[in-house]
Structure formats: C-alpha cells, structure tokens
Amino acid sequence: MSSLTYPGLVMTSVDVAYPNKTRNPKLVEFDGGATNPKEDDTTALILRNLTGRYEGPFWNRKLIFSGEVVEPEEIVRGAKKPLIVIHGFNNSTKTHIKNCKKATEKFKNFNVIPVIWPSAGGISNYWNDRKYSIAAGKALTNSLKKFAGLFPHKSLLAHSMGNRVLREFAGDDYKFDNIFMVAADVERRMFDKNYIDDDSKGRNQDAVRIKDMLSKDKDSKIYVLHNYTDYALTGSAIIKLGRVRLGARGANLEKIHPKLKGKVENINCGTYLNGFSFASHTYLFADKTIKILDSKFIGENGDSTDKDHNANSDNIETFEDDMVPV
C-alpha cells in the first residue's frame, strides 16, 4: 500500500474543496503542501480513506490529498481504542500521515487518528503558527463533540505546538482516558497553583480545563512526556524570553494546583534519548514511547495495563521527511 494513504479516520481543520459535489457529495480534496492557514477557522471534518497524489510538472508538483467525509453514525468501533494525535509546528501533512500510519501498526492497544491543522511552517512563521493553532483548536471543537460520544474509551496525544491546539478546545464537553502532552511547547508553570490562581477566569485556567477532559476513571491522568535536552524547546524558550517549556522540564509537581493533584504525572524520556539530536524532540512515536503509551491503556472495565513503562527497547526511531516537525 502506498505511503501516501491512510485507511483509518483523520480529523482536519484544513480548508477543503468538493471536486464533484453532485456526483460524490462526500469526496473532498485539500492541498497537502500549502494549507492556507487562517486565524478564523471555524470548521473541521472527519475523513476516511485519505489518499495523496502529486499533480503538476516535477519542478512545481503539488501534493493533493483526497478523502471521504464521515458522519458520526457511519463510524464503526474497532478492536483497538482511538488515540487522537495532534501534530506540532512545521509538520507537513505528508510527514504526519506517514508517521501515524507507521505508529498505528506498532501500537497494541491504540488506533491512531491523526489531526491535521494548518501550519505555515518555517522558523520565521513561528509566531504566526501560534495564532493558527488557536484557530485550529476552536475549529476542532465541534468535530470532537460529534466524535467523542461514540467511543467511551479514547485517549489524546498532543505534540509540541499541538499542545496549544489542545488548550483551545479543552473543556468538559468530551472525556478521554488519558491525555499525553509530548514535548509540549507551552509554559512549564501552567500547572502551578500560583500561576492558575493569578488569573481565575482567563488563559491561566487552561490546565484545569484540560484536567476536566479526563474521564472519571481513577487511573485517568495527564502524562507530561519531557526531555531536558530537547533542542527545539530550547530555541522556543529563547524566543519566549527565557520562559521554560513544559516539554523540557516537565511539570513542577511540588507547586501543582490542588485541583490537579494526583492527575498529572511526569515521564522523563531523556533517559532513552540521545542529547541534542533530531530525536530529542520528535520522539512521540519512538519505539520506547509507544511502549510507554501502550502501558497506560485503560480497558473497557477501567483496568489499566500500566505494569512497567520502562520496558527495554533496542530501537528508538524517528521518521524524518522533507520538513522538520517541531
């Protein structure tokens, strides 16, 4: 099967076109390279059978993705539970789909559902993509509401700037068994009592809203996967005037807000990553990370499979492509 296909479900807030709405009202297409990010996105779709193809001369090829719009009543549960994965900054649709496809084949307990949000990419667009991440989060809200009730057991993973998307749709309209914040490009202090209490109604309440998305299962948690030698978050901290990022140090559990106690757990992935390398930031689907995520799975009866998230792994992989996912 081509590496440019994804047979499972995909969620996207990228603008789509209907090439032949009369003949096939569910078929949509979007540009996989130039996603035309906007600050006012309001809608997102759930697609299936995503396929990519190149169009145009070799010196100016465009990657066009097509897929079928899926309504909630058409979704059939599989044996594995959904893991919704939100990519980070500077991550092409092609890269994200390829990575998710490889990862879902390795997971024992999860089917990966990629979330594609419009990212301009490139270091010079860092600040713009922060704005686009806000719009993407708002756009995904309605799709998540439709989808969430279909699966009593599901989890969510946000990578890097994808955690800013997560912050925007956080709330108690949908529940997840676990929420994995991997290499999160958000402030480390977002879980701190003083930080949250300093702004009782605004932005500083994001951590509480994220916690409110957890299911009532006693084992449901927010897992913060972090790495001190994450090269990308070092740069992000510099851009943000020295504000330490959550994905570099993890949450400060000694300062955590009482509303969050017992619901936030750090996982130091620096123990199996090698210094300031590409893998130090793009480890969300490393073999050992997959084992860690699988170990946190909560079954139909609320049973956790968390026995040993330090299982040995001899092969830590990252999947690289023409754009560097950040």
Side-chain angles (χ1 to χ4, degrees), residues 7-8 21 31 49 73 116 128 158 170 172 175 191 197 200 259 268 270 279 281 301 308 319:
K21 203 165 187 177
D31 189 335
N49 299 326
E73 61 271 17
I116 304 167
N128 284 333
D172 60 3
K175 301 295 181 181
F191 294 105
D197 288 346
S200 61
K259 292 181 179 180
N268 181 11
H281 185 68
N301 298 319
D308 179 17
F319 307 119

Side-chain angles (χ1 to χ4, degrees), residues 12-16 30-31 34-36 41 43-45 93 116-118:
T12 182
S13 63
V14 175
D15 285 347
V16 302
F30 62 91
D31 189 335
T35 49
N36 300 318
D41 274 333
T43 58
L45 296 172
T93 300
I116 304 167
W117 59 277

Side-chain angles (χ1 to χ4, degrees), residues 243-255:
R243 294 178 186 171
V244 178
R245 314 317 281 163
L246 180 66
R249 298 290 186 88
N252 188 336
L253 299 182
E254 294 181 359
K255 296 182 178 181

Side-chain angles (χ1 to χ4, degrees), residues 203-217:
R203 178 88 283 171
N204 295 12
Q205 296 295 306
D206 287 341
V208 176
R209 285 190 280 266
I210 292 173
K211 187 271 294 183
D212 288 343
M213 291 199 299
L214 291 175
S215 72
K216 294 181 180 180
D217 191 279

Side-chain angles (χ1 to χ4, degrees), residues 102-116:
K102 291 179 181 179
T104 203
E105 293 169 355
K106 295 183 178 183
F107 275 113
K108 294 181 179 179
N109 297 315
F110 294 112
N111 269 327
V112 176
I113 298 179
V115 173
I116 304 167

Side-chain angles (χ1 to χ4, degrees), residues 10-11 16 18 29 36 60 92 104 117 129 132 141 179 185 190 194 196 198 200 211 218 245 267 292 310 318 324:
V10 174
M11 302 181 73
V16 302
Y18 291 80
E29 294 183 343
N36 300 318
N60 189 30
S92 71
T104 203
W117 59 277
D129 270 7
Y132 305 146
T141 299
I179 297 171
D185 187 10
M190 70 177 293
N194 290 343
I196 293 173
D198 188 50
S200 61
K211 187 271 294 183
K218 61 181 176 62
R245 314 317 281 163
I267 298 176
I292 291 171
N310 292 314
T318 57
V324 180

